[in-house]
């Protein structure tokens, strides 16, 4: 027996019948087994038989009763004495009776069904070959709250939620420009998930927009439950550990990327938006880098980069030096390390791999446990288990310190998916360090660098603006230059309008700098 969804496919492009009973039979055939389906029979203006259908748990009952049912049952005073027969009745209802601005006339059965599935209300009238699909969707949602994954000290506290309409409103609130364009499409044969493509006309490269639409249109899947489903289909290299699509739940970050010439992809039901194209430097930058003064944030960004390097190479360098090149360690420190490792029964590489794996298991357990228990587990795991392992001679104190610093470094990387890639690459580097020493570490780093150089995100080199080099982009790479220096949008995005800072503002800033220099010279 065919499922209702398969039956609906058979009604593709079929028109709505003029007989009301046929329309009711079609609705009951598709949705008749649902207890929340409401089919309400009534008479339009007390004369014409009609039916109203909707899902009670998805629609706003007050809107239906007050703005739809009441005006349809009682003829407005200005229509008294005027005939309104079914062929012209839909136009009269739409223009003179309904109190709802989200009403459209449809003539296809498939669009009637989709309207009900999306939380709308359908009104069908005897003798009319079309129906009214009225927007009455109302679904309970969580409040707009501070983003859980991208915390800031100085900056907005708003984060995206699961409702697509609310997320678009948050973006429009921050980007009140006529150039903002939002194109919608549906992906997922069974979920029909609504996807919004956001970009700035006059800034974003049109070829990039077309490429995004083309990749999304090729996706043929049953369900899209989150934006992560789309990410895995549209990225350039599916087997690379490095993310080629950035995700964020901050509307201000989305707006900043749109103004640079990128494209944002939002999915109804997901609080995380995708931003493309993506380059590696985006994964160690934060919103705070641009809301605070450049000198302070440049220092913090350097600290973040050091933490990123720590999280990748620190354990492998430790293993290679302990196993192959102990002469590189100062004598006093070497004696202390040797004393700490005296009772450990494993080689350094096995010891580091065991502790590193244990740390990953502990981290995963902390994430999956309830919030009230997770904090206690992390403290117990780090303090008690770590101390017990050292006391039992299972691990040396220096190894526990190295792994702890590495873990802290991975936590300092702002992007979770980038930190995950570095955590994954630590293990092959440790193995190569245990087999080949420092040569193995260098070979591993060369292979990683070569892979990064080969990656692209929607045609943009992954290491831009470092490779290929761009002087304007270098001002926001290792350190964050003053905002007055960053006068152009990133050239690797190919923006239509590449000027970010107005010419008058640029001249004013230059004049201020010259005046300050002259005053300092006079004082000297």
């Amino acid at each position: 027996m065919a499922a209702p969804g398969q039956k609906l496919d058979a009604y593709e492009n079929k028109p709505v019948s003029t007989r009301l009973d046929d329309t009711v039979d079609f609705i009951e055939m598709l949705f008749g087994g649902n207890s929340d389906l409401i089919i309400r029979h009534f008479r339009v203006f007390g004369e014409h038989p009609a039916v109203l259908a909707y899902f009670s748990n998805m629609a706003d009952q007050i809107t239906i009763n007050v703005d739809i049912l009441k005006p349809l049952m009682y003829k407005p005073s200005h229509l008294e004495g005027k005939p309104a027969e079914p062929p012209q009745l839909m136009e009269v209802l739409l223009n003179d009776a309904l109190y709802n601005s989200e009403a459209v006339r449809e003539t296809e059965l498939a669009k009637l069904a989709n309207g009900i599935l999306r939380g709308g209300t359908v009104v069908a009238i005897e003798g009319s070959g079309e129906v009214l699909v009225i927007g009455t969707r109302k679904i309970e949602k969580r409040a707009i709250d501070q983003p859980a994954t991208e915390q800031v000290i100085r900056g907005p506290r708003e984060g995206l939620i699961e409702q697509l309409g609310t997320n678009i409103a948050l973006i429009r609130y921050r980007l009140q420009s006529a150039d903002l364009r939002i194109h919608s499409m549906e992906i997922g044969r069974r979920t029909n998930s609504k996807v919004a493509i956001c970009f700035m006309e006059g800034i974003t490269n049109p070829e990039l927009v077309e490429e995004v639409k083309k990749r999304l249109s090729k996706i043929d899947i049953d369900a899209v439950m989150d934006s992560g489903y789309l990410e895995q289909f549209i990225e350039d290299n599916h087997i690379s550990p490095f993310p080629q699509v950035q995700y964020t739940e901050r509307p201000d970050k989305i707006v900043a990327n749109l103004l640079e010439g990128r494209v944002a992809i939002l999915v109804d039901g997901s609080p995380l938006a995708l931003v493309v194209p993506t380059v590696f430097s985006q994964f160690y930058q934060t919103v705070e880098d641009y809301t605070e003064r450049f000198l302070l944030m440049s220092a913090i960004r350097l600290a973040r980069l050091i933490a990123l390097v720590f999280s990748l190479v620190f354990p492998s360098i430790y293993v290679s030096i302990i196993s192959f090149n102990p002469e590189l360690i100062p004598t006093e420190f070497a004696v202390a390390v040797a004393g700490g490792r005296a009772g450990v029964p494993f080689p350094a590489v096995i010891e580091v791999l065991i502790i590193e794996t244990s740390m990953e298991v502990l981290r995963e357990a902390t994430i999956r446990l309830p919030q009230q228990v997770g904090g206690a587990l992390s403290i117990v795991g780090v303090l008690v288990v770590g101390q017990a392992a050292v006391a039992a001679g299972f691990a040396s104190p220096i190894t526990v310190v190295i792994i702890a610093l590495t873990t802290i470094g991975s936590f300092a990387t702002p992007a979770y998916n980038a930190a995950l890639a570095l955590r994954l690459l630590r293990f092959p580097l440790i193995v190569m360090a245990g087999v080949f020493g420092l040569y193995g570490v260098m070979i591993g780093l060369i292979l990683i660098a070569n892979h990064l150089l080969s990656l692209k995100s929607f045609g943009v080199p992954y290491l831009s603006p470092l490779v290929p080099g761009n002087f304007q982009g270098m001002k926001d790479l290792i350190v964050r230059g003053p905002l007055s220096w960053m006068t152009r949008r990133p050239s690797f995005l190919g923006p239509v309008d590449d000027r970010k800072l107005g010419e008058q503002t640029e001249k004013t800033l230059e004049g201020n700098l010259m005046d300050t220099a002259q005053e300092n010279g006079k004082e000297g």
Side-chain angles (χ1 to χ4, degrees):
M1 185 177 178
Q6 295 171 332
K7 292 178 183 177
L8 181 59
D9 293 338
Y11 285 90
E12 191 73 29
N13 299 324
K14 284 197 175 182
V16 175
S17 173
T18 55
R19 293 184 69 248
L20 185 61
D21 290 341
D22 291 344
T23 304
V24 174
D25 290 342
F26 171 75
I27 295 173
E28 289 183 340
M29 180 268 295
L30 282 180
F31 311 123
N34 296 292
S35 58
D36 60 340
L37 175 68
I38 304 297
I39 298 179
R40 169 73 155 82
H41 290 269
F42 68 102
R43 289 184 178 274
V44 175
F45 302 156
E47 302 173 10
H48 309 284
V51 71
L52 181 142
Y54 61 94
F55 282 127
S56 60
N57 294 326
M58 292 184 69
D60 186 355
Q61 301 277 0
I62 297 176
T63 300
I64 293 171
N65 294 334
V66 177
D67 297 341
I68 300 174
L69 201 54
K70 185 176 179 180
L72 291 186
M73 294 179 72
Y74 296 96
K75 182 179 278 191
S77 57
H78 64 278
L79 293 179
E80 290 294 341
K82 294 183 181 179
E85 296 304 318
Q88 297 83 27
L89 188 56
M90 282 296 181
E91 188 171 349
V92 172
L93 297 182
L94 196 59
N95 298 329
D96 300 309
L98 278 177
Y99 298 158
N100 192 300
S101 60
E102 294 183 63
V104 293
R105 297 159 68 177
E106 299 290 359
T107 58
E108 296 180 11
L109 290 172
K111 292 183 178 179
L112 177 156
N114 286 332
I116 296 176
L117 287 169
R118 291 198 177 280
T121 298
V122 167
V123 176
I125 303 172
E126 179 71 49
S128 177
E130 55 186 349
V131 296
L132 283 177
V133 179
I134 307 167
T136 55
R137 177 174 172 175
K138 183 181 180 182
I139 300 174
E140 293 300 323
K141 58 188 178 185
R142 64 183 175 96
I144 296 172
D145 201 1
Q146 185 168 345
T149 57
E150 297 172 276
Q151 302 280 350
V152 295
I153 302 298
R154 182 174 182 176
R157 299 291 193 272
E158 295 172 337
L160 301 181
I161 62 172
E162 285 72 17
Q163 300 294 319
L164 179 61
T166 304
N167 294 339
I168 292 175
L170 289 172
I171 293 173
R172 284 202 178 276
Y173 162 67
R174 297 195 168 276
L175 189 54
Q176 299 176 24
S177 168
D179 295 331
L180 177 60
R181 292 288 179 266
I182 298 175
H183 290 177
S184 297
M185 60 195 308
E186 293 178 4
I187 302 178
R189 290 193 303 270
R190 296 189 182 273
T191 58
N192 289 317
S193 302
K194 196 171 183 180
V195 177
I197 303 168
C198 310
F199 62 95
M200 290 293 290
E201 191 171 331
I203 295 179
T204 310
N205 190 337
E207 295 180 2
L208 171 62
V209 178
E210 289 304 315
E211 180 65 21
V212 172
K213 291 180 180 178
K214 185 177 78 172
R215 294 193 188 187
L216 288 174
S217 64
K218 289 182 178 179
I219 299 174
D220 184 16
I221 188 174
D222 264 2
V224 177
M225 308 305 297
D226 185 78
S227 58
Y229 284 61
L230 301 183
E231 176 185 352
Q232 297 173 63
F233 281 102
I234 64 175
E235 62 185 357
D236 291 60
N237 189 328
H238 301 292
I239 60 174
S240 173
F242 291 98
Q244 298 131 64
V245 177
Q246 186 182 29
Y247 67 78
T248 179
E249 56 179 329
R250 298 189 62 90
D252 55 326
K253 191 171 181 177
I254 295 171
V255 169
N257 280 284
L258 291 177
L259 289 172
E260 284 193 337
R262 292 185 172 88
V263 176
I265 304 168
L266 289 82
V267 179
D268 197 9
S270 173
L272 296 169
L274 305 180
V275 177
V276 294
T278 298
V279 294
F280 183 73
S281 60
Q282 288 176 256
F283 294 113
Y284 58 80
Q285 298 171 352
T286 66
V287 175
E288 250 174 339
D289 288 359
Y290 305 94
T291 55
E292 266 290 1
R293 288 173 294 167
F294 78 97
L295 198 61
L296 305 177
M297 298 319 297
S298 295
I300 292 176
R301 184 181 286 185
L302 283 171
R304 221 180 285 137
L305 278 169
I306 293 171
L308 186 146
V309 173
F310 267 28
S311 67
L312 178 64
V313 302
F314 213 35
S316 54
I317 288 178
Y318 166 72
V319 168
S320 60
I321 290 178
I322 291 297
S323 303
F324 290 88
N325 301 97
E327 67 276 3
L328 296 177
I329 311 174
T331 306
E332 294 81 1
F333 186 57
V335 172
V337 170
R341 288 189 44 80
V344 178
F346 309 111
V349 59
I350 302 298
E351 179 190 7
V352 169
L353 283 173
I354 290 174
I355 301 298
E356 190 71 69
T357 305
S358 303
M359 187 63 73
E360 293 298 324
V361 172
L362 178 64
R363 189 202 313 252
E364 188 65 19
T366 306
I367 293 173
R368 304 303 162 198
L369 276 173
Q371 190 174 3
Q372 294 82 355
V373 186
L377 175 68
S378 61
I379 295 172
V380 170
V382 172
L383 295 180
V384 178
V385 177
Q387 185 61 38
V390 171
F394 190 76
S396 63
I398 184 64
T399 303
V400 174
V401 171
I402 294 293
I403 301 303
L405 288 175
T406 304
T407 305
I408 293 170
S410 68
F411 283 139
T413 304
Y416 176 77
N417 49 359
L420 200 60
L422 297 175
R423 282 160 52 188
L424 176 67
L425 291 171
R426 275 207 300 265
F427 290 94
L429 277 179
I430 292 170
V431 172
M432 294 187 72
V435 176
F436 302 107
L438 287 173
Y439 293 106
V441 177
M442 290 307 301
I443 291 171
L445 292 177
I446 290 170
L447 290 175
I448 292 172
N450 187 58
H451 174 67
L452 289 172
L453 288 167
S454 69
L455 279 181
K456 287 189 176 183
S457 174
F458 284 81
V460 175
Y462 198 58
L463 291 184
S464 299
L466 182 63
V467 179
N470 177 263
F471 176 71
Q472 181 67 29
M474 298 288 186
K475 299 174 184 177
D476 191 28
L477 187 63
I478 306 298
V479 296
R480 202 274 282 177
L483 294 178
S484 57
W485 289 6
M486 293 181 278
T487 59
R488 306 278 179 177
R489 293 186 173 88
S491 60
F492 55 81
L493 295 175
V496 177
D497 176 15
D498 69 336
R499 177 167 284 277
K500 186 189 300 185
L501 198 66
E503 294 182 10
Q504 186 60 42
T505 304
E506 191 175 351
K507 290 177 182 178
T508 303
L509 289 170
E510 289 176 356
N512 291 342
L513 288 173
M514 292 179 63
D515 292 344
T516 303
Q518 290 175 359
E519 289 177 5
N520 291 338
K522 290 177 182 178
E523 290 175 2

